Amino acid sequence: MAKSDDNGNLSALDLARAARLAVEELTGHRSEAATGLEWDDDSWRVTVETLELERIPNTTDVLAEYEVRLDGEGTLRDYKRVRRFTRGDAGDRDR
């Protein structure tokens, strides 16, 4: 298990790892990166990108961005897919 501080809270790195693992286990898709981590009122919000469909050339791979909420101990509170896009899409990521 990941290291926690004296209050039982995980480090930012361990929270990101926990979010990536949760998304992989829930979706069956390989996570590529945790691209965001922020405190939001009473939980951590972690953005995780996954590879949903591998294609040739890889610039046409379909990726997805998931928003995961964890408490300070790394327990999953909720998650949702917020968007899908191709790897070669260099456009802005406005939500």
Side-chain angles (χ1 to χ4, degrees):
M1 182 66 188
K3 289 184 178 181
S4 59
D5 65 15
D6 293 337
N7 295 326
N9 293 323
L10 296 179
S11 70
L13 181 59
D14 289 330
L15 285 164
R17 286 181 182 145
R20 289 182 65 185
L21 181 60
V23 169
E24 286 181 357
E25 290 181 357
L26 290 166
T27 66
H29 299 299
R30 183 182 83 220
S31 71
E32 295 218 332
T35 59
L37 175 69
E38 67 180 288
W39 179 253
D40 187 19
D41 295 328
D42 62 348
S43 62
W44 286 100
R45 184 171 58 185
V46 184
T47 305
V48 176
E49 289 185 0
T50 64
L51 175 62
E52 293 210 337
L53 182 59
E54 194 167 6
R55 293 182 172 163
I56 298 174
N58 69 352
T59 55
T60 62
D61 288 349
V62 177
L63 303 177
E65 188 174 85
Y66 286 84
E67 184 178 282
V68 180
R69 291 189 185 274
L70 305 169
D71 65 17
E73 296 175 353
T75 302
L76 180 68
R77 295 299 177 206
D78 63 58
Y79 86 106
K80 64 181 175 180
R81 184 174 64 194
V82 293
R83 74 183 195 109
R84 292 180 82 189
F85 57 99
T86 59
R87 186 182 301 277
D89 180 16
D92 290 335
R93 295 184 176 189
D94 294 336
R95 289 189 204 175

Coordinates of all heavy atoms in Angstrom, one line a residue:
M1 N 0.9 -1.2 0.0 CA 0.0 0.0 0.0 C 0.9 1.2 0.0 O 2.0 1.2 0.4 CB -0.9 0.0 1.2 CG -1.9 1.1 1.3 SD -3.1 1.1 0.0 CE -3.9 2.6 0.2
A2 N 0.3 2.3 -0.4 CA 1.1 3.6 -0.5 C 1.3 4.2 0.9 O 0.6 3.9 1.8 CB 0.3 4.6 -1.3
K3 N 2.4 4.9 1.0 CA 2.7 5.6 2.2 C 1.8 6.7 2.5 O 1.3 7.4 1.6 CB 4.1 6.2 2.2 CG 5.2 5.1 2.2 CD 6.6 5.8 2.2 CE 7.7 4.8 2.3 NZ 9.0 5.5 2.3
S4 N 1.5 6.9 3.8 CA 0.6 8.0 4.2 C 1.3 8.8 5.3 O 2.3 8.3 5.9 CB -0.7 7.5 4.7 OG -0.6 6.6 5.8
D5 N 0.8 10.0 5.5 CA 1.4 10.8 6.6 C 0.8 10.4 8.0 O 0.1 9.4 8.0 CB 1.2 12.3 6.3 CG -0.2 12.8 6.3 OD1 -1.1 12.0 6.8 OD2 -0.5 13.9 5.9
D6 N 1.1 11.1 9.0 CA 0.6 10.8 10.4 C -0.9 10.8 10.5 O -1.5 10.1 11.3 CB 1.3 11.7 11.4 CG 2.8 11.5 11.5 OD1 3.2 10.4 11.2 OD2 3.5 12.4 12.0
N7 N -1.5 11.6 9.6 CA -3.0 11.6 9.6 C -3.7 10.6 8.7 O -4.9 10.6 8.6 CB -3.4 13.0 9.1 CG -3.0 14.1 10.1 OD1 -2.9 13.9 11.3 ND2 -2.7 15.3 9.5
G8 N -2.9 9.7 8.1 CA -3.4 8.7 7.2 C -3.6 9.2 5.8 O -4.2 8.5 4.9
N9 N -3.2 10.5 5.5 CA -3.4 11.0 4.1 C -2.2 10.6 3.2 O -1.1 10.6 3.7 CB -3.5 12.5 4.2 CG -4.8 13.0 4.9 OD1 -5.8 12.3 4.8 ND2 -4.7 14.0 5.7
L10 N -2.5 10.4 2.0 CA -1.5 10.0 1.0 C -0.9 11.2 0.4 O -1.4 12.3 0.4 CB -2.2 9.2 -0.1 CG -2.8 7.9 0.2 CD1 -3.4 7.2 -1.0 CD2 -1.8 6.9 0.9
S11 N 0.3 11.1 -0.1 CA 1.0 12.1 -0.9 C 0.4 12.3 -2.2 O -0.4 11.5 -2.7 CB 2.5 11.7 -1.1 OG 2.6 10.7 -2.0
A12 N 0.6 13.4 -2.9 CA 0.1 13.7 -4.2 C 0.4 12.6 -5.2 O -0.4 12.2 -6.0 CB 0.6 15.1 -4.7
L13 N 1.7 12.2 -5.1 CA 2.1 11.1 -6.1 C 1.3 9.8 -5.8 O 0.9 9.2 -6.8 CB 3.6 10.8 -5.9 CG 4.2 9.8 -6.8 CD1 4.0 10.1 -8.3 CD2 5.7 9.6 -6.5
D14 N 1.1 9.5 -4.6 CA 0.4 8.3 -4.2 C -1.1 8.4 -4.6 O -1.8 7.4 -5.0 CB 0.5 7.9 -2.8 CG 1.9 7.4 -2.5 OD1 2.6 6.8 -3.4 OD2 2.4 7.5 -1.4
L15 N -1.7 9.6 -4.4 CA -3.1 9.8 -4.9 C -3.2 9.6 -6.4 O -4.2 9.0 -6.8 CB -3.5 11.2 -4.5 CG -3.8 11.4 -3.0 CD1 -3.8 12.9 -2.7 CD2 -5.1 10.8 -2.6
A16 N -2.3 10.2 -7.1 CA -2.3 10.0 -8.6 C -2.2 8.5 -9.0 O -2.9 8.1 -9.8 CB -1.2 10.8 -9.2
R17 N -1.3 7.8 -8.3 CA -1.2 6.4 -8.6 C -2.5 5.6 -8.2 O -2.9 4.7 -9.0 CB -0.1 5.8 -7.8 CG 1.3 6.1 -8.3 CD 2.4 5.5 -7.5 NE 3.7 5.9 -7.9 CZ 4.7 6.1 -7.2 NH1 4.7 5.9 -5.9 NH2 5.9 6.4 -7.7
A18 N -3.1 6.0 -7.1 CA -4.4 5.3 -6.7 C -5.5 5.6 -7.7 O -6.3 4.7 -8.1 CB -4.8 5.8 -5.3
A19 N -5.5 6.8 -8.3 CA -6.5 7.2 -9.3 C -6.3 6.4 -10.5 O -7.3 5.9 -11.2 CB -6.5 8.7 -9.5
R20 N -5.1 6.3 -11.0 CA -4.8 5.6 -12.2 C -5.1 4.1 -12.1 O -5.8 3.6 -13.0 CB -3.3 5.7 -12.6 CG -2.9 7.1 -13.1 CD -1.5 7.2 -13.5 NE -1.2 6.4 -14.6 CZ 0.0 6.1 -15.2 NH1 1.0 6.7 -14.6 NH2 0.1 5.4 -16.2
L21 N -4.8 3.5 -11.0 CA -5.1 2.1 -10.7 C -6.6 1.9 -10.7 O -7.1 1.0 -11.3 CB -4.5 1.6 -9.4 CG -4.7 0.2 -9.1 CD1 -4.2 -0.7 -10.2 CD2 -4.1 -0.1 -7.7
A22 N -7.4 2.8 -10.1 CA -8.8 2.7 -10.0 C -9.4 2.7 -11.4 O -10.3 1.9 -11.7 CB -9.4 3.8 -9.1
V23 N -9.0 3.7 -12.2 CA -9.6 3.8 -13.5 C -9.2 2.5 -14.4 O -10.1 2.0 -15.1 CB -9.0 5.1 -14.2 CG1 -9.4 5.1 -15.7 CG2 -9.6 6.3 -13.6
E24 N -8.0 2.0 -14.3 CA -7.7 0.8 -15.0 C -8.5 -0.3 -14.6 O -9.0 -1.1 -15.4 CB -6.2 0.5 -14.8 CG -5.2 1.4 -15.5 CD -3.8 1.0 -15.3 OE1 -3.5 0.0 -14.5 OE2 -2.9 1.7 -15.9
E25 N -8.7 -0.5 -13.3 CA -9.5 -1.6 -12.8 C -11.0 -1.5 -13.2 O -11.7 -2.5 -13.5 CB -9.3 -1.8 -11.3 CG -8.0 -2.3 -11.0 CD -7.7 -2.5 -9.5 OE1 -8.7 -2.2 -8.7 OE2 -6.7 -3.0 -9.1
L26 N -11.5 -0.3 -13.1 CA -13.0 -0.1 -13.4 C -13.3 -0.1 -14.9 O -14.4 -0.6 -15.3 CB -13.4 1.2 -12.8 CG -13.5 1.3 -11.3 CD1 -13.6 2.7 -10.8 CD2 -14.6 0.4 -10.8
T27 N -12.4 0.4 -15.7 CA -12.7 0.5 -17.2 C -12.0 -0.7 -18.0 O -12.5 -0.9 -19.1 CB -12.2 1.8 -17.7 OG1 -10.7 1.8 -17.7 CG2 -12.8 3.0 -17.0
G28 N -11.0 -1.3 -17.5 CA -10.2 -2.2 -18.3 C -9.3 -1.6 -19.3 O -8.7 -2.3 -20.1
H29 N -9.2 -0.3 -19.3 CA -8.3 0.4 -20.2 C -7.0 0.8 -19.5 O -7.0 1.2 -18.3 CB -9.0 1.7 -20.8 CG -10.2 1.4 -21.5 ND1 -10.2 0.6 -22.7 CD2 -11.5 1.8 -21.3 CE1 -11.4 0.5 -23.1 NE2 -12.2 1.2 -22.3
R30 N -5.9 0.8 -20.2 CA -4.6 1.2 -19.6 C -4.5 2.7 -19.4 O -4.8 3.4 -20.3 CB -3.5 0.7 -20.6 CG -2.1 1.0 -20.0 CD -1.0 0.6 -21.0 NE -0.9 1.7 -22.0 CZ -0.7 1.6 -23.3 NH1 -0.6 0.4 -23.8 NH2 -0.5 2.6 -24.1
S31 N -4.2 3.1 -18.2 CA -4.0 4.5 -18.0 C -2.6 5.0 -18.6 O -1.7 4.2 -18.5 CB -4.1 4.9 -16.6 OG -3.0 4.5 -15.8
E32 N -2.6 6.2 -19.1 CA -1.4 6.7 -19.7 C -0.7 7.7 -18.8 O 0.5 7.8 -18.7 CB -1.6 7.3 -21.1 CG -2.1 6.2 -22.1 CD -1.5 6.5 -23.4 OE1 -1.2 7.6 -23.8 OE2 -1.3 5.5 -24.2
A33 N -1.5 8.5 -18.1 CA -1.0 9.6 -17.2 C -2.1 10.1 -16.3 O -3.2 10.1 -16.7 CB -0.4 10.7 -18.1
A34 N -1.6 10.6 -15.2 CA -2.4 11.5 -14.4 C -2.0 12.9 -14.8 O -0.9 13.3 -14.6 CB -2.2 11.3 -12.9
T35 N -3.0 13.6 -15.4 CA -2.6 14.9 -15.9 C -3.1 16.1 -15.1 O -2.9 17.3 -15.5 CB -3.2 15.1 -17.4 OG1 -4.6 14.9 -17.3 CG2 -2.6 14.0 -18.3
G36 N -3.8 15.8 -14.0 CA -4.2 16.9 -13.1 C -4.5 16.4 -11.7 O -4.9 15.2 -11.5
L37 N -4.3 17.2 -10.7 CA -4.5 16.9 -9.3 C -4.8 18.2 -8.6 O -4.0 19.1 -8.6 CB -3.3 16.2 -8.7 CG -3.3 15.8 -7.2 CD1 -4.3 14.7 -7.0 CD2 -1.9 15.4 -6.7
E38 N -6.0 18.2 -8.0 CA -6.3 19.4 -7.2 C -7.3 19.1 -6.1 O -8.1 18.2 -6.2 CB -6.9 20.5 -8.1 CG -8.2 20.2 -8.7 CD -8.7 21.4 -9.6 OE1 -9.1 22.4 -9.1 OE2 -8.7 21.2 -10.8
W39 N -7.2 19.9 -5.0 CA -8.1 19.8 -3.9 C -9.4 20.5 -4.3 O -9.4 21.6 -4.7 CB -7.5 20.3 -2.6 CG -8.4 20.3 -1.5 CD1 -9.1 21.3 -0.9 CD2 -8.7 19.1 -0.7 NE1 -9.8 20.8 0.2 CE2 -9.6 19.5 0.3 CE3 -8.4 17.7 -0.8 CZ2 -10.1 18.6 1.3 CZ3 -8.9 16.9 0.1 CH2 -9.7 17.3 1.1
D40 N -10.6 19.9 -4.1 CA -11.8 20.5 -4.4 C -12.8 20.3 -3.3 O -13.5 19.3 -3.2 CB -12.4 19.8 -5.7 CG -13.6 20.5 -6.3 OD1 -13.9 21.7 -5.9 OD2 -14.3 19.9 -7.1
D41 N -12.9 21.3 -2.4 CA -13.8 21.3 -1.2 C -13.4 20.2 -0.2 O -12.8 20.5 0.8 CB -15.2 21.2 -1.6 CG -15.7 22.4 -2.4 OD1 -15.2 23.5 -2.1 OD2 -16.6 22.3 -3.2
D42 N -13.9 19.0 -0.5 CA -13.6 17.9 0.5 C -13.0 16.7 0.0 O -13.0 15.6 0.6 CB -15.0 17.6 1.2 CG -16.0 17.0 0.2 OD1 -15.7 17.1 -1.0 OD2 -17.0 16.5 0.7
S43 N -12.5 16.7 -1.3 CA -11.9 15.6 -1.9 C -10.8 16.0 -2.9 O -10.8 17.2 -3.3 CB -12.9 14.7 -2.6 OG -13.6 15.4 -3.6
W44 N -10.0 15.1 -3.3 CA -9.0 15.3 -4.4 C -9.6 15.0 -5.7 O -10.3 13.9 -5.8 CB -7.8 14.4 -4.1 CG -6.9 14.9 -3.0 CD1 -6.9 14.4 -1.8 CD2 -6.0 16.0 -3.1 NE1 -6.0 15.2 -1.0 CE2 -5.4 16.1 -1.8 CE3 -5.6 16.9 -4.1 CZ2 -4.4 17.1 -1.5 CZ3 -4.6 17.8 -3.8 CH2 -4.1 17.9 -2.5
R45 N -9.4 15.8 -6.7 CA -9.9 15.6 -8.0 C -8.6 15.3 -8.9 O -7.8 16.1 -9.0 CB -10.7 16.7 -8.6 CG -11.2 16.5 -10.0 CD -12.2 17.5 -10.4 NE -11.5 18.8 -10.5 CZ -12.0 20.0 -10.7 NH1 -13.3 20.0 -10.9 NH2 -11.3 21.1 -10.7
V46 N -8.6 14.1 -9.5 CA -7.5 13.7 -10.3 C -8.0 13.4 -11.7 O -9.0 12.8 -11.9 CB -6.8 12.4 -9.7 CG1 -5.6 12.0 -10.5 CG2 -6.5 12.5 -8.2
T47 N -7.3 14.0 -12.7 CA -7.6 13.7 -14.1 C -6.7 12.7 -14.6 O -5.4 12.8 -14.4 CB -7.4 15.0 -14.9 OG1 -8.2 16.1 -14.3 CG2 -7.9 14.8 -16.3
V48 N -7.2 11.6 -15.2 CA -6.5 10.5 -15.7 C -6.8 10.3 -17.1 O -8.0 10.3 -17.5 CB -6.8 9.2 -14.9 CG1 -6.1 8.0 -15.5 CG2 -6.5 9.4 -13.4
E49 N -5.8 10.1 -18.0 CA -6.0 9.8 -19.4 C -5.7 8.3 -19.6 O -4.8 7.7 -19.1 CB -5.0 10.6 -20.3 CG -5.4 12.0 -20.3 CD -4.6 12.9 -21.3 OE1 -3.7 12.3 -21.9 OE2 -4.8 14.1 -21.4
T50 N -6.6 7.7 -20.4 CA -6.5 6.3 -20.7 C -6.5 6.1 -22.2 O -7.0 6.9 -23.0 CB -7.7 5.4 -20.2 OG1 -8.9 5.9 -20.8 CG2 -7.8 5.6 -18.7
L51 N -5.9 4.9 -22.6 CA -5.9 4.5 -24.0 C -7.2 3.6 -24.2 O -7.2 2.5 -23.7 CB -4.7 3.8 -24.4 CG -4.6 3.1 -25.8 CD1 -4.7 4.2 -26.9 CD2 -3.3 2.3 -26.0
E52 N -8.2 4.1 -25.0 CA -9.4 3.3 -25.1 C -9.4 2.5 -26.4 O -10.0 1.5 -26.4 CB -10.6 4.2 -25.1 CG -10.8 4.9 -23.7 CD -12.3 5.1 -23.4 OE1 -13.1 5.3 -24.3 OE2 -12.6 5.2 -22.2
L53 N -8.7 3.0 -27.4 CA -8.7 2.2 -28.7 C -7.4 2.5 -29.4 O -7.1 3.6 -29.7 CB -9.9 2.7 -29.6 CG -10.0 2.0 -30.9 CD1 -10.2 0.5 -30.7 CD2 -11.2 2.6 -31.7
E54 N -6.6 1.4 -29.5 CA -5.3 1.6 -30.2 C -5.4 1.4 -31.7 O -6.1 0.5 -32.2 CB -4.3 0.5 -29.6 CG -2.9 0.8 -29.9 CD -2.0 -0.1 -29.1 OE1 -2.5 -1.0 -28.4 OE2 -0.8 0.1 -29.2
R55 N -4.8 2.3 -32.4 CA -4.9 2.3 -33.9 C -3.5 2.5 -34.5 O -2.6 2.9 -33.8 CB -5.8 3.4 -34.4 CG -7.3 3.2 -34.0 CD -8.1 4.3 -34.5 NE -9.5 4.1 -34.4 CZ -10.5 5.0 -34.5 NH1 -10.1 6.2 -34.7 NH2 -11.7 4.7 -34.3
I56 N -3.5 2.2 -35.8 CA -2.2 2.5 -36.6 C -2.6 3.5 -37.6 O -3.6 3.3 -38.4 CB -1.7 1.2 -37.2 CG1 -1.3 0.3 -36.1 CG2 -0.5 1.5 -38.1 CD1 -0.9 -1.1 -36.6
P57 N -1.9 4.7 -37.7 CA -0.8 5.1 -36.9 C -1.3 5.5 -35.5 O -2.5 5.8 -35.3 CB -0.2 6.3 -37.6 CG -1.4 6.9 -38.4 CD -2.2 5.7 -38.7
N58 N -0.4 5.6 -34.5 CA -0.9 5.8 -33.1 C -1.4 7.2 -32.9 O -2.0 7.5 -31.9 CB 0.3 5.5 -32.1 CG 1.4 6.4 -32.2 OD1 1.5 7.3 -33.1 ND2 2.3 6.3 -31.3
T59 N -1.2 8.1 -33.9 CA -1.7 9.5 -33.7 C -3.3 9.5 -33.9 O -3.9 10.4 -33.5 CB -1.2 10.4 -34.8 OG1 -1.4 9.9 -36.1 CG2 0.3 10.7 -34.6
T60 N -3.8 8.3 -34.3 CA -5.3 8.2 -34.4 C -5.8 7.4 -33.2 O -7.0 7.1 -33.2 CB -5.7 7.6 -35.7 OG1 -5.1 6.2 -35.9 CG2 -5.2 8.4 -36.9
D61 N -5.0 7.0 -32.3 CA -5.5 6.3 -31.1 C -6.6 7.1 -30.4 O -6.6 8.3 -30.4 CB -4.4 6.1 -30.0 CG -3.3 5.1 -30.4 OD1 -3.5 4.4 -31.3 OD2 -2.3 5.1 -29.7
V62 N -7.6 6.4 -29.8 CA -8.6 7.1 -29.1 C -8.3 7.1 -27.6 O -8.1 6.0 -27.0 CB -10.0 6.5 -29.4 CG1 -11.1 7.2 -28.5 CG2 -10.4 6.5 -30.8
L63 N -8.2 8.3 -27.0 CA -7.9 8.4 -25.6 C -9.1 8.9 -24.9 O -10.0 9.5 -25.5 CB -6.7 9.4 -25.4 CG -5.4 9.1 -26.1 CD1 -4.4 10.2 -25.8 CD2 -4.9 7.7 -25.7
A64 N -9.2 8.7 -23.6 CA -10.3 9.3 -22.8 C -9.7 10.0 -21.6 O -8.6 9.6 -21.1 CB -11.2 8.2 -22.4
E65 N -10.4 10.9 -21.1 CA -10.0 11.7 -19.9 C -11.1 11.4 -18.8 O -12.3 11.6 -19.1 CB -10.0 13.2 -20.2 CG -9.4 14.0 -19.1 CD -9.2 15.4 -19.6 OE1 -10.2 16.2 -19.5 OE2 -8.1 15.8 -20.1
Y66 N -10.6 10.9 -17.7 CA -11.5 10.6 -16.6 C -11.2 11.5 -15.4 O -10.1 11.9 -15.2 CB -11.3 9.1 -16.1 CG -11.9 8.1 -17.0 CD1 -11.2 7.7 -18.1 CD2 -13.1 7.6 -16.8 CE1 -11.7 6.7 -19.0 CE2 -13.7 6.6 -17.7 CZ -12.9 6.2 -18.8 OH -13.5 5.3 -19.6
E67 N -12.3 11.9 -14.7 CA -12.2 12.7 -13.5 C -12.5 11.8 -12.4 O -13.5 11.1 -12.3 CB -13.2 13.8 -13.6 CG -13.0 14.8 -12.4 CD -14.0 15.9 -12.5 OE1 -13.7 16.8 -13.3 OE2 -15.1 15.9 -11.8
V68 N -11.5 11.6 -11.5 CA -11.6 10.7 -10.3 C -11.6 11.6 -9.1 O -10.8 12.5 -8.9 CB -10.4 9.7 -10.3 CG1 -10.5 8.8 -9.2 CG2 -10.3 9.0 -11.6
R69 N -12.5 11.3 -8.1 CA -12.4 11.9 -6.8 C -12.1 10.9 -5.7 O -12.6 9.8 -5.7 CB -13.8 12.5 -6.5 CG -14.1 13.7 -7.4 CD -15.4 14.4 -6.9 NE -15.7 15.5 -7.8 CZ -15.2 16.7 -7.8 NH1 -14.4 17.1 -6.8 NH2 -15.6 17.6 -8.6
L70 N -11.1 11.3 -4.9 CA -10.5 10.5 -3.9 C -10.5 11.3 -2.6 O -10.3 12.5 -2.6 CB -9.1 10.1 -4.2 CG -8.8 9.4 -5.5 CD1 -7.3 9.3 -5.7 CD2 -9.4 8.0 -5.5
D71 N -10.7 10.6 -1.4 CA -10.5 11.3 -0.2 C -9.0 11.3 0.1 O -8.2 10.7 -0.7 CB -11.3 10.6 1.0 CG -10.9 9.2 1.3 OD1 -9.8 8.8 0.9 OD2 -11.7 8.5 2.0
G72 N -8.6 11.9 1.2 CA -7.2 12.0 1.5 C -6.4 10.7 1.7 O -5.2 10.6 1.6
E73 N -7.2 9.6 2.0 CA -6.6 8.3 2.2 C -6.6 7.5 1.0 O -6.1 6.4 1.0 CB -7.4 7.6 3.3 CG -7.3 8.2 4.7 CD -8.2 7.6 5.7 OE1 -9.0 6.7 5.4 OE2 -8.1 8.0 6.9
G74 N -7.0 8.1 -0.2 CA -7.0 7.4 -1.4 C -8.2 6.5 -1.7 O -8.2 5.8 -2.7
T75 N -9.3 6.7 -0.9 CA -10.5 5.9 -1.2 C -11.3 6.5 -2.3 O -11.5 7.8 -2.3 CB -11.3 5.8 0.1 OG1 -10.6 5.2 1.1 CG2 -12.6 5.0 -0.2
L76 N -11.7 5.7 -3.3 CA -12.4 6.2 -4.4 C -13.8 6.7 -4.0 O -14.5 6.0 -3.2 CB -12.6 5.1 -5.5 CG -13.4 5.5 -6.7 CD1 -12.6 6.5 -7.6 CD2 -13.7 4.2 -7.5
R77 N -14.2 7.9 -4.3 CA -15.5 8.5 -4.0 C -16.4 8.5 -5.3 O -17.5 8.2 -5.2 CB -15.4 9.9 -3.5 CG -14.7 10.0 -2.2 CD -15.4 9.2 -1.2 NE -14.8 9.2 0.1 CZ -14.9 8.2 1.0 NH1 -15.7 7.2 0.7 NH2 -14.3 8.3 2.1
D78 N -15.8 8.8 -6.4 CA -16.6 8.7 -7.7 C -15.6 8.9 -8.9 O -14.5 9.3 -8.7 CB -17.8 9.6 -7.8 CG -17.4 11.1 -7.8 OD1 -16.7 11.6 -8.6 OD2 -18.0 11.8 -6.9
Y79 N -16.1 8.5 -10.0 CA -15.3 8.8 -11.2 C -16.2 8.9 -12.4 O -17.4 8.4 -12.4 CB -14.3 7.7 -11.5 CG -14.8 6.5 -12.2 CD1 -14.4 6.2 -13.6 CD2 -15.6 5.5 -11.6 CE1 -14.9 5.1 -14.2 CE2 -16.1 4.4 -12.3 CZ -15.8 4.2 -13.6 OH -16.2 3.2 -14.3
K80 N -15.8 9.6 -13.5 CA -16.6 9.7 -14.7 C -15.7 10.0 -15.8 O -14.7 10.7 -15.7 CB -17.7 10.7 -14.5 CG -17.2 12.2 -14.4 CD -18.3 13.1 -14.2 CE -17.8 14.5 -13.9 NZ -18.9 15.5 -13.8
R81 N -16.1 9.6 -17.0 CA -15.4 10.0 -18.2 C -15.9 11.3 -18.6 O -17.1 11.5 -18.7 CB -15.6 8.9 -19.4 CG -14.8 9.3 -20.6 CD -14.9 8.2 -21.6 NE -16.2 8.1 -22.1 CZ -16.7 7.1 -22.9 NH1 -15.9 6.1 -23.2 NH2 -17.9 7.1 -23.3
V82 N -15.0 12.3 -18.9 CA -15.4 13.6 -19.2 C -15.2 13.9 -20.7 O -15.8 14.9 -21.2 CB -14.7 14.7 -18.3 CG1 -15.2 14.6 -16.9 CG2 -13.2 14.6 -18.4
R83 N -14.4 13.2 -21.4 CA -14.2 13.4 -22.8 C -13.4 12.3 -23.5 O -12.7 11.6 -22.8 CB -13.6 14.8 -23.1 CG -12.2 14.9 -22.9 CD -11.7 16.3 -23.1 NE -10.3 16.4 -23.2 CZ -9.6 16.6 -24.3 NH1 -10.2 16.8 -25.5 NH2 -8.2 16.6 -24.3
R84 N -13.6 12.2 -24.8 CA -12.8 11.3 -25.6 C -12.2 12.1 -26.7 O -12.8 13.1 -27.2 CB -13.6 10.2 -26.2 CG -14.2 9.2 -25.2 CD -15.0 8.1 -25.9 NE -14.1 7.1 -26.4 CZ -14.5 6.1 -27.2 NH1 -15.8 6.0 -27.6 NH2 -13.7 5.2 -27.7
F85 N -11.0 11.7 -27.2 CA -10.3 12.5 -28.2 C -9.2 11.6 -28.9 O -8.9 10.6 -28.3 CB -9.6 13.8 -27.6 CG -8.7 13.5 -26.5 CD1 -7.3 13.5 -26.7 CD2 -9.1 13.3 -25.2 CE1 -6.4 13.2 -25.7 CE2 -8.2 13.0 -24.2 CZ -6.9 13.0 -24.4
T86 N -8.7 12.0 -30.0 CA -7.7 11.3 -30.7 C -6.3 11.8 -30.2 O -6.2 13.0 -29.9 CB -7.7 11.3 -32.2 OG1 -7.7 12.7 -32.6 CG2 -9.0 10.7 -32.7
R87 N -5.4 10.9 -30.2 CA -4.0 11.3 -29.7 C -3.5 12.5 -30.5 O -2.8 13.4 -29.9 CB -3.1 10.1 -29.8 CG -1.7 10.4 -29.1 CD -0.8 9.2 -29.3 NE -1.3 8.0 -28.7 CZ -1.2 7.7 -27.4 NH1 -0.6 8.5 -26.6 NH2 -1.6 6.5 -26.9
G88 N -3.7 12.5 -31.7 CA -3.2 13.6 -32.6 C -3.9 14.9 -32.5 O -3.5 15.9 -33.1
D89 N -5.0 15.0 -31.7 CA -5.7 16.2 -31.5 C -4.9 17.2 -30.6 O -4.8 17.0 -29.4 CB -7.1 15.9 -30.8 CG -7.9 17.2 -30.6 OD1 -7.6 18.2 -31.2 OD2 -8.9 17.1 -29.9
A90 N -4.4 18.3 -31.2 CA -3.6 19.2 -30.5 C -4.5 20.4 -30.0 O -3.9 21.4 -29.6 CB -2.5 19.7 -31.3
G91 N -5.8 20.4 -30.2 CA -6.7 21.5 -29.9 C -6.7 21.7 -28.4 O -6.3 20.9 -27.5
D92 N -7.3 22.9 -28.0 CA -7.5 23.2 -26.6 C -8.4 22.2 -26.0 O -9.3 21.7 -26.6 CB -8.1 24.6 -26.5 CG -7.1 25.7 -26.8 OD1 -5.9 25.4 -26.8 OD2 -7.5 26.8 -27.2
R93 N -8.3 22.0 -24.7 CA -9.1 21.1 -23.9 C -10.1 21.8 -23.1 O -10.2 21.6 -21.9 CB -8.2 20.2 -23.0 CG -7.3 19.4 -23.9 CD -6.5 18.5 -23.0 NE -5.7 17.6 -23.8 CZ -5.0 16.6 -23.4 NH1 -5.0 16.3 -22.1 NH2 -4.3 15.9 -24.2
D94 N -10.9 22.7 -23.7 CA -11.9 23.4 -23.0 C -13.0 22.4 -22.6 O -13.4 21.6 -23.4 CB -12.5 24.5 -23.8 CG -11.5 25.6 -24.1 OD1 -10.5 25.7 -23.3 OD2 -11.6 26.3 -25.1
R95 N -13.6 22.6 -21.5 CA -14.7 21.7 -21.0 C -15.9 22.6 -21.0 O -16.0 23.6 -20.7 CB -14.5 21.2 -19.6 CG -13.4 20.2 -19.7 CD -13.3 19.5 -18.3 NE -12.0 19.0 -18.2 CZ -11.6 18.4 -17.1 NH1 -12.4 18.3 -16.1 NH2 -10.4 17.9 -17.0

